[in-house]
């Protein structure tokens, strides 16, 4: 097994595809996806284009359709939800399909949608993701951060490092053999530095600060927790994620 | 003071310029620049274009002209030196000008050449660089890694982290105020994780492995040392670096 961490979708190499690819958007798309599926949502369907989202969701039974739209950390006008995991209660999402578009998280999922196995990961479901990969033993694993408009982000990198760290322990493969690129080694070092205080790291992250300015303190606390959800969001068809 | 780490020259934002900008190419351009100036070289003049280097160096007195060319870790045919700091002995470089072109290091220096103060830094002269910046107290400091053909590199990031770490201690400014972007926080964490064993990090880095395959074991050892040279390479005019 070789793990390649890419900080943003733009860094993913062209002309090749991983056996298993993982999209990460800790603040907050993949945290919300994991939370919604754990709460009983039927599926999450992601879109980069809001108009296409509206058109597709209009074909769905209204009582099982939730439109999730976020731009710049705020709910899109006329949508049912923004991008907060706290909106995804069982009462609200059970048996529903979430039609979702977010500033950054959507792009990383779309960039890797042609991989054999596509997974959405966050800190909240890190161990479920790592266990599945350990069981599957894919030859190559990509972990792709979302960042913020093409920039590096601490929160996605520390999550990539958390997953790689778990696989390092589970497989017993030496770091220099498991790490496919320099980013993987740096991500593991970041996780090991902050594993006891992930909330403080998220509070220092530029997107974390942006969310704090929007009064999302509880969201940051929730998103900084590791391994609280035993759920594995996998791609069923391009753009559609279900619980494994 | 705010520190912004950029992993590669491509990540440096357009349309703005730092008061002080630092180029880093630990393996090996900036290590070699620091070593040559410490050994008494008159100046280092950098070029991205080999033909322009040859034309300019031809106007220089032959006995004080050294052509340094590296592509893919190897010496350019017909040049006097590759990119190894071990070639820069006082006997060889004293009072000479080095006309230099390397695969990656040149690009980061050129990307920042319009900053008020431009510095070349490596692990070997980290403390000299940090002391100078602490004395100057610039409002904004960019630390720009060279990477490898546009990719993230562990060796430049750990050096950026080493400089930022020194400034954190010297200034007493809290990390969340000193760090201008997420990359700065991650670079400091990387340095703190590997500060006791920088050689092992360089040996795991993709460009470090490439150099080991070219039998540059001693180069890696040399480049992984911190604070062994009290020299500050500063830009005198665009592309020309001298000892401060």
């Amino acid at each position: 097994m070789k793990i390649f961490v890419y900080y943003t979708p733009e860094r993913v190499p062209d002309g090749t595809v991983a056996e298993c690819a993982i999209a990460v958007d800790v603040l907050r798309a993949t945290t919300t996806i994991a939370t919604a599926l754990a709460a009983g949502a039927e599926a999450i369907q992601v879109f980069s284009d809001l108009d296409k989202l509206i058109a597709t969701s209009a074909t769905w039974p209204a009582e099982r359709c939730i439109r999730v739209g976020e731009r710049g950390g705020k709910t899109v006008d006329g949508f049912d939800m923004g991008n907060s995991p706290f909106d995804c209660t069982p009462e609200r999402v059970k048996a529903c399909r979430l039609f979702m578009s977010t500033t950054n998280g959507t792009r990383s999922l779309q960039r890797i949608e042609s991989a054999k196995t596509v997974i959405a990961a966050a800190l909240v479901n890190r161990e479920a993701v790592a266990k599945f990969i350990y069981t599957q033993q894919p030859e190559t694993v990509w972990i792709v951060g979302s960042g913020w408009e093409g920039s590096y982000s601490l929160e996605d990198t520390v999550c990539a490092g958390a997953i790689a760290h778990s696989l390092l322990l589970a497989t017993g493969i030496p770091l220099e053999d498991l790490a496919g690129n320099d980013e993987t080694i740096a991500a593991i070092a970041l996780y090991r530095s902050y594993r006891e205080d992930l909330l403080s790291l998220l509070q220092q992250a530029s997107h974390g600060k942006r969310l704090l300015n929007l009064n999302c303190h509880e969201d940051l606390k929730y998103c900084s927790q590791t391994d609280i959800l035993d759920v594995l969001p996998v791609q069923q068809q391009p753009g559609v994620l279900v619980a494994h």
Side-chain angles (χ1 to χ4, degrees), chain A:
Chain A
M1 190 190 301
K2 281 268 186 205
I3 301 175
F4 298 81
V5 170
Y6 298 107
Y7 293 144
T8 63
E10 291 76 17
R11 301 298 313 159
V12 173
D14 292 321
T16 172
V17 73
E19 192 177 335
C20 177
I22 305 169
V24 177
D25 186 10
V26 169
L27 294 175
R28 296 168 288 175
T30 54
T31 303
T32 299
I33 288 170
T35 304
L37 291 175
E42 176 257 334
I44 319 289
Q45 189 162 354
V46 297
F47 297 82
S48 52
D49 185 67
L50 288 174
D51 291 334
K52 207 174 164 194
L53 184 159
I54 292 167
T56 308
S57 62
T59 67
W60 208 255
E63 69 279 11
R64 291 192 287 113
C65 166
I66 298 176
R67 292 187 301 181
V68 181
E70 171 265 349
R71 286 294 181 271
K74 296 177 189 164
T75 305
V76 175
D77 279 350
F79 274 55
D80 304 306
M81 290 183 187
N83 194 14
S84 174
F86 289 118
D87 292 334
C88 299
T89 56
E91 298 71 37
R92 193 139 177 217
V93 304
K94 199 173 167 97
C96 291
R97 176 168 292 210
L98 275 65
F99 296 85
M100 179 186 228
S101 183
T102 69
T103 312
N104 302 294
T106 318
R107 290 183 311 123
S108 50
L109 275 165
Q110 290 186 328
R111 182 65 189 82
I112 61 172
E113 67 181 17
S114 56
K116 193 174 149 195
T117 305
V118 175
I119 297 171
L123 290 165
V124 290
N125 68 334
R126 181 272 307 254
E127 201 52 41
V129 170
K131 266 189 196 160
F132 175 78
I133 293 169
Y134 179 63
T135 312
Q136 296 283 309
Q137 296 280 337
E139 288 225 349
T140 53
V141 179
W142 287 352
I143 312 179
V144 182
S146 300
W148 181 263
E149 296 178 353
S151 285
Y152 173 88
S153 82
L154 283 168
E155 65 275 14
D156 294 344
T157 306
V158 83
C159 180
I163 297 166
H165 172 84
S166 281
L167 288 168
L168 196 65
L169 296 186
T171 61
I173 300 172
L175 175 60
E176 58 267 35
D177 296 328
L178 190 66
N181 61 4
D182 282 16
E183 289 88 331
T184 306
I185 293 169
I188 292 172
L190 183 67
Y191 172 68
R192 288 179 175 167
S193 297
Y194 283 95
R195 60 190 294 180
E196 303 302 336
D197 196 7
L198 289 165
L199 178 58
S200 87
L201 185 67
L202 266 58
Q203 287 167 338
Q204 291 175 58
S206 58
H207 188 41
K209 289 181 190 163
R210 197 176 291 118
L211 288 173
L212 290 176
N213 284 333
L214 296 168
N215 278 319
C216 297
H217 295 78
E218 292 304 315
D219 282 59
L220 251 70
K221 273 190 202 164
Y222 179 82
C223 295
S224 71
Q225 300 172 96
T226 43
D227 312 332
I228 57 165
L229 298 179
D230 188 20
V231 65
L232 184 79
V234 294
Q235 182 179 264
Q236 190 184 49
Q237 62 190 75
V240 179
L241 295 151
V242 298
H244 181 70

